[in-house]
Amino acid sequence: MERVKKRYHNYIHILLVLFLFVIFGKAHANDVFINNRLNKPYVSDSILEHIFQSANIYATKVKSYQADLYLKGKMQIHKQNRIIKYVPSMFRLEKGIKDYIHESISELQYTAPDIYDRKIRAISTTFPGGNSRFFDILDYLKFNIYSPSVMGDKILSPLNKQSKIHYNYYLESISYWLGTKTYKIQIIPRFKSTQLLEGYIWISADDFTIRHLEFKGRYDVIRFQLSMRMGNTEETKYLPQLINLDVNFKFLLNHLEMKYTGWLTYKDVKFRSEEDITPKYLYKDKSKYNLTKSYTLTCDTACLIQNRDSFNRIRPIPLNEWEDSLYLAFDQRHQIQVQDTLKKEETKFQRNLTYIGQLGDALISSYEIDITKIGSINCTPLINPLLVSYSHTNGISYRQEFKYNKLFHNGRLLHIVPQIGYNFTKKELYAQMDAEYMYNPMKHGSFTFSIGNGNRIYSSIVLDQLKNLPDSAFSFDGLELDYFKDVYLHASHNIEIINGLNLWTGITMHWRHTKSTPEVAARGIRSQYNSFAPRVRLEWTPGMYYYINGNRKINVGSKFPTFVIDYERGINIMKNSGKYERVEFSAEQKIRFRQLHTIAYHLGGGFFTNQDDMYFVDYVNFANRNLPQGWNDDMGGTFQMLDGRWYNASRHYFRGNMTYETPFLLLYPVTRLLSFIQKERIYAGILFMPHLNPYIELGYGIGTHLFDGGIFIGNEKGKFTSIGFKFTFELFNK
């Protein structure tokens, strides 16, 4: 027997060695192949070390700056079909028109370490309406090549020492740039990935500053080529002066291309002083969490210039003949449309066709109505696969929400969000409406109101049945579960006592009812139970950063966890109501480290006490969500494989959930997949409650530009009991 075991272990070791040899041998072979194919020398270690050390200094060399930014974008439609109409947040396009132009003049402000504030002052365009986030250049403006990650922390910079294992560096040539010795270095990623760049940099041999760069990459359904020429003065040599960007959108036989030219004129560049050895210089005084100075443009309420003649007077670079013809053709088309509208009288058939077209657009398009005196209304498309999700425990579900916002002149805000959803597996319709009136924006003073129907729930009688069942013989199927439908009402008042410390006080009411049958009555159960409970919630986030926008205080975030304690006490004030107490507490945080790596955790617990009559175990922070809430909202903070009946089956619980997200993890050797997969995630959760001591859940997930998916395994008391999947569409939703 021992000989068989030894032979088995030897086989395992041999297979492991062969596996590692294949992986690393293949990687080494690829490096040799690339190097031989390019026939270029590697950049020496000494030069690379100088580059990495200099980049570490230059990443925070600039303390702040202000600049005028002129952008000119020309879009060409190479291929187009009807599917382009179904893409959310896409430009509205004119039939038969293949070329468009879009210009803007903005003010740009940067404050180290990573705050970009942009205010658009003027716009001139030939697009008939709408906007598109696919061609939003803001992320490309956040291109500090010296920093560890670029483009809003989406891509690993090749100038960061920790990222050099993902790149190969080749010396293309040595030349002289304005009399300075300059290295032209070609950078090639070791494998294709949406988190890596490919291209060239021209770097000075004197101080190892970048003089010019050309990179290409891919993120989501966008392929881009970026060229930057840095400034030539002592003030601007660390900053881009001229930007050329070519963005290609390819999706289901549609091909749209936007070519941008950007020119920056710097007005005020400030550098970090020598005694500031870390980027924390911004947060030294007593008001260290107040970032208002970094958001002065966001707080500015200056009018947007959209008049063509006014824009012509302030345009810093003249248009060429072809660009001018695009505006001329647009004006002619607009004039013809106005004349045709005045001349022709629509027939009933034409009006019906117009109505059907408008109805179709409403079903497949996001829309926002902004009326100055009334407010703004926002709605996602009614027919939208992004609102559909599938999970092993809840099946297929769909959710839709509308948003109404009204901002008053003194900063007060009215926010109303009606939601509706349907769970196809459980065949249940859910409706909810949340409303908030913020009367004191500086202190987050607000009144909130929420009404809707919740999940079906069973009473605390089940807890008494559970007491009599040993763990080994436990089964929900053997219990008599009388499900009640639930209609709830929450009303509360919120105030920020000090920065980061919020106090909620209010009431919670439930109307729970079920069908009255002789069997139910025989067990002493009424057909209706009500509850009325005052509620107090205290939420504290230490070190909360914020900025002041007019009369409003806007919280930005913190480096510390958020702590919550929630207390609710039921009192017998309504007919058929009972007494109980609910206490819940939690701590959660999202920690970003090593550029694109993130750890998020949630710890918490809760219990019910002082019960009189029958009541319902209905926790706030530990609940089964039957409708999709978004990947980041529920994937890492709940249990995907846990039977929904467990959430209401214990007077107390203690739980912990953790998510680790990184671009390179298990699939690192499978380089072909990394060109499609953007994130890999590891999930872990543990739950302590009666009959589940403990319940452990482990999962692995991937994130792509099309969808996010995960596989999860449930383990009850040391035995694997279930395995399942969760799937959500994420296309155009990030």
Side-chain angles (χ1 to χ4, degrees):
M1 188 67 182
E2 291 296 328
R3 186 178 299 175
V4 173
K5 286 184 177 180
K6 187 175 181 181
R7 183 180 300 173
Y8 173 78
H9 286 301
N10 288 336
Y11 285 149
I12 294 295
H13 291 159
I14 293 172
L15 289 174
L16 181 61
V17 171
L18 288 175
F19 177 72
L20 294 175
F21 176 79
V22 169
I23 291 175
F24 293 105
K26 180 180 177 182
H28 177 71
N30 284 341
D31 287 348
V32 173
F33 174 75
I34 291 174
N35 194 31
N36 291 337
R37 177 171 56 86
L38 295 175
N39 197 25
K40 298 174 184 176
Y42 283 109
V43 177
S44 67
D45 291 340
S46 59
I47 294 178
L48 281 179
E49 192 62 31
H50 280 300
I51 291 174
F52 296 143
Q53 289 179 0
S54 300
N56 189 45
I57 297 172
Y58 299 151
T60 55
K61 180 74 173 179
V62 177
K63 181 178 179 180
S64 64
Y65 66 76
Q66 292 184 353
D68 291 329
L69 171 65
Y70 168 70
L71 286 174
K72 177 173 61 179
K74 293 169 285 187
M75 191 174 84
Q76 291 181 295
I77 301 176
H78 300 291
K79 291 182 181 179
Q80 180 186 359
N81 54 40
R82 296 192 179 190
I83 296 175
I84 200 69
K85 296 174 60 178
Y86 298 85
V87 177
S89 301
M90 177 55 67
F91 285 120
R92 290 207 306 267
L93 306 173
E94 291 187 76
K95 186 176 181 179
I97 304 303
K98 300 293 185 182
D99 299 294
Y100 300 85
I101 188 170
H102 180 85
E103 297 177 276
S104 68
I105 296 176
S106 311
E107 288 186 41
L108 185 66
Q109 176 175 289
Y110 167 79
T111 307
D114 194 28
I115 300 176
Y116 291 85
D117 191 18
R118 179 189 176 199
K119 184 73 173 183
I120 299 177
R121 295 299 188 191
I123 287 178
S124 180
T125 182
T126 63
F127 287 104
N131 53 53
S132 174
R133 65 181 180 83
F134 298 110
F135 303 111
D136 186 5
I137 199 174
L138 183 59
D139 278 344
Y140 300 96
L141 297 176
K142 298 177 182 178
F143 203 97
N144 180 1
I145 189 62
Y146 298 113
S147 64
S149 56
V150 297
M151 286 181 59
D153 292 330
K154 289 185 175 69
I155 295 176
L156 293 171
S157 170
L159 299 192
N160 180 252
K161 189 173 184 178
Q162 292 182 352
S163 302
K164 72 174 184 177
I165 61 172
H166 304 309
Y167 291 99
N168 286 313
Y169 303 83
Y170 302 102
L171 184 61
E172 176 79 12
S173 62
I174 299 176
S175 60
Y176 286 85
W177 185 290
L178 299 177
T180 302
K181 184 180 179 181
T182 304
Y183 300 115
K184 181 182 178 182
I185 298 174
Q186 183 178 10
I187 299 173
I188 298 179
R190 294 180 183 267
F191 48 85
K192 291 184 178 180
S193 171
T194 57
Q195 277 77 39
L196 302 177
L197 294 168
E198 179 180 356
Y200 297 88
I201 57 172
W202 287 258
I203 194 164
S204 171
D206 292 344
D207 54 8
F208 292 94
T209 57
I210 293 177
R211 309 314 316 139
H212 184 68
L213 62 86
E214 291 179 0
F215 280 117
K216 63 181 180 180
R218 175 185 176 184
Y219 206 85
D220 287 344
V221 292
I222 297 291
R223 294 181 183 271
F224 64 89
Q225 292 185 352
L226 178 67
S227 171
M228 282 187 178
R229 193 184 76 197
M230 314 304 277
N232 294 322
T233 66
E234 283 298 317
E235 279 193 337
T236 62
K237 69 178 182 178
Y238 307 104
L239 302 169
Q241 191 97 59
L242 177 65
I243 301 173
N244 288 304
L245 176 66
D246 190 350
V247 177
N248 280 270
F249 169 83
K250 292 183 177 181
F251 178 67
L252 295 179
L253 301 180
N254 289 278
H255 181 193
L256 282 65
E257 182 179 14
M258 178 75 90
K259 293 184 178 180
Y260 267 111
T261 298
W263 179 262
L264 292 103
T265 304
Y266 295 94
K267 293 184 288 188
D268 186 16
V269 181
K270 295 180 180 178
F271 296 96
R272 188 179 56 156
S273 58
E274 292 297 329
E275 61 269 17
D276 295 324
I277 58 174
T278 68
K280 297 180 180 179
Y281 61 85
L282 185 63
Y283 318 124
K284 280 187 174 180
D285 54 22
K286 293 182 179 180
S287 59
K288 58 184 178 180
Y289 301 116
N290 189 344
L291 306 180
T292 303
K293 292 181 180 179
S294 300
Y295 289 92
T296 55
L297 301 181
T298 301
C299 306
D300 193 354
T301 57
C303 295
L304 176 67
I305 298 174
Q306 292 182 288
N307 181 273
R308 183 81 55 75
D309 293 333
S310 300
F311 195 95
N312 291 338
R313 289 193 292 269
I314 60 175
R315 180 186 290 112
I317 301 175
L319 301 175
N320 60 37
E321 208 172 292
W322 181 76
E323 294 165 347
D324 215 10
S325 69
L326 295 179
Y327 280 118
L328 181 61
F330 174 78
D331 293 337
Q332 291 174 348
R333 291 195 303 272
H334 180 71
Q335 187 176 3
I336 292 172
Q337 289 173 0
V338 173
Q339 292 174 353
D340 290 344
T341 303
L342 295 175
K343 288 180 181 179
K344 294 182 180 179
E345 210 174 297
E346 274 192 330
T347 64
K348 185 177 180 179
F349 178 72
Q350 289 173 328
R351 286 195 298 270
N352 289 338
L353 285 179
T354 302
Y355 172 75
I356 293 173
Q358 292 173 346
L359 179 62
D361 288 341
L363 291 175
I364 64 175
S365 303
S366 299
Y367 59 87
E368 182 171 349
I369 303 172
D370 195 351
I371 306 174
T372 305
K373 294 184 179 181
I374 298 178
S376 65
I377 301 172
N378 180 271
C379 177
T380 55
L382 298 178
I383 300 177
N384 188 354
L386 306 181
L387 302 174
V388 179
S389 75
Y390 168 80
S391 68
H392 177 77
T393 53
N394 293 326
I396 300 174
S397 53
Y398 171 86
R399 178 175 60 92
Q400 175 61 265
E401 69 178 25
F402 304 84
K403 295 180 182 179
Y404 168 80
N405 294 283
K406 171 61 178 175
L407 182 63
F408 298 91
H409 68 280
N410 54 3
R412 293 178 298 167
L413 175 67
L414 177 62
H415 182 58
I416 301 176
V417 184
Q419 301 180 58
I420 190 170
Y422 187 76
N423 188 289
F424 292 90
T425 303
K426 300 182 179 181
K427 298 180 180 179
E428 292 181 5
L429 179 69
Y430 298 89
Q432 176 181 332
M433 187 183 74
D434 301 322
E436 179 184 20
Y437 175 64
M438 186 175 291
Y439 68 91
N440 185 350
M442 285 295 294
K443 300 293 291 182
H444 291 173
S446 63
F447 294 98
T448 60
F449 176 88
S450 179
I451 187 172
N453 66 317
N455 301 335
R456 293 190 307 157
I457 190 173
Y458 45 82
S459 69
S460 60
I461 291 179
V462 175
L463 303 185
D464 298 327
Q465 298 179 34
L466 293 176
K467 284 182 181 178
N468 303 321
L469 293 175
D471 289 354
S472 59
F474 175 79
S475 173
F476 274 110
D477 298 330
L479 300 178
E480 296 177 344
L481 301 178
D482 298 305
Y483 283 101
F484 286 73
K485 293 184 178 180
D486 179 26
V487 177
Y488 64 85
L489 169 68
H490 304 307
S492 64
H493 172 263
N494 172 50
I495 192 73
E496 188 178 48
I497 302 173
I498 59 175
N499 180 42
L501 180 63
N502 290 273
L503 174 65
W504 277 268
T505 55
I507 59 170
T508 296
M509 302 169 64
H510 287 269
W511 293 269
R512 297 185 172 101
H513 60 279
T514 188
K515 291 182 180 180
S516 180
T517 63
E519 291 79 9
V520 172
R523 290 195 297 272
I525 301 175
R526 299 192 300 267
S527 61
Q528 181 176 338
Y529 287 85
N530 303 326
S531 67
F532 181 92
R535 180 183 172 190
V536 178
R537 178 184 174 93
L538 197 64
E539 181 177 307
W540 180 42
T541 307
M544 177 66 75
Y545 293 104
Y546 66 92
Y547 67 90
I548 306 299
N549 187 352
N551 294 324
R552 301 176 62 203
K553 177 176 179 283
I554 312 296
N555 288 339
V556 177
S558 172
K559 299 177 181 178
F560 297 96
T562 296
F563 302 94
V564 176
I565 185 167
D566 198 319
Y567 174 76
E568 176 183 312
R569 180 178 178 85
I571 57 177
N572 193 355
I573 197 174
M574 299 173 60
K575 184 180 179 181
N576 298 328
S577 61
K579 295 181 181 180
Y580 65 90
E581 282 185 332
R582 177 186 61 82
V583 179
E584 287 187 84
F585 48 88
S586 66
E588 61 181 16
Q589 187 182 13
K590 191 173 183 179
I591 305 171
R592 194 181 194 94
F593 65 101
R594 290 179 59 197
Q595 296 85 55
L596 305 183
H597 303 263
T598 302
I599 286 181
Y601 68 85
H602 180 105
L603 304 173
F607 53 87
F608 274 79
T609 62
N610 297 336
Q611 303 90 12
D612 274 354
D613 195 13
M614 193 177 79
Y615 67 102
F616 294 83
V617 180
D618 195 1
Y619 293 107
V620 174
N621 297 329
F622 180 61
N624 184 31
R625 311 293 182 187
N626 286 328
L627 296 179
Q629 301 293 320
W631 187 271
N632 289 328
D633 293 336
D634 63 0
M635 285 300 295
T638 190
F639 298 93
Q640 301 298 324
M641 300 305 302
L642 185 65
D643 191 314
R645 293 172 290 190
W646 280 113
Y647 290 92
N648 313 113
S650 175
R651 288 188 175 91
H652 66 267
Y653 76 91
F654 298 96
R655 58 177 283 205
N657 297 89
M658 186 275 293
T659 303
Y660 173 60
E661 183 179 85
T662 177
F664 312 116
L665 191 63
L666 302 181
L667 297 180
Y668 188 91
V670 191
T671 57
R672 291 185 179 180
L673 289 178
L674 290 177
S675 61
F676 177 70
I677 293 173
Q678 297 175 340
K679 300 288 184 182
E680 293 183 77
R681 304 181 180 101
I682 295 293
Y683 302 98
I686 187 168
L687 171 66
F688 296 94
M689 61 189 301
H691 297 282
L692 286 178
N693 273 323
Y695 171 78
I696 298 174
E697 188 171 287
L698 302 175
Y700 169 78
I702 59 171
T704 74
H705 64 279
L706 294 176
F707 63 88
D708 281 8
I711 181 171
F712 299 87
I713 299 175
N715 183 303
E716 295 181 13
K717 293 172 290 185
K719 296 180 180 180
F720 290 101
T721 57
S722 57
I723 183 171
F725 302 88
K726 171 149 182 161
F727 178 90
T728 59
F729 287 100
E730 296 293 333
L731 180 61
F732 315 126
N733 200 32
K734 296 180 178 179

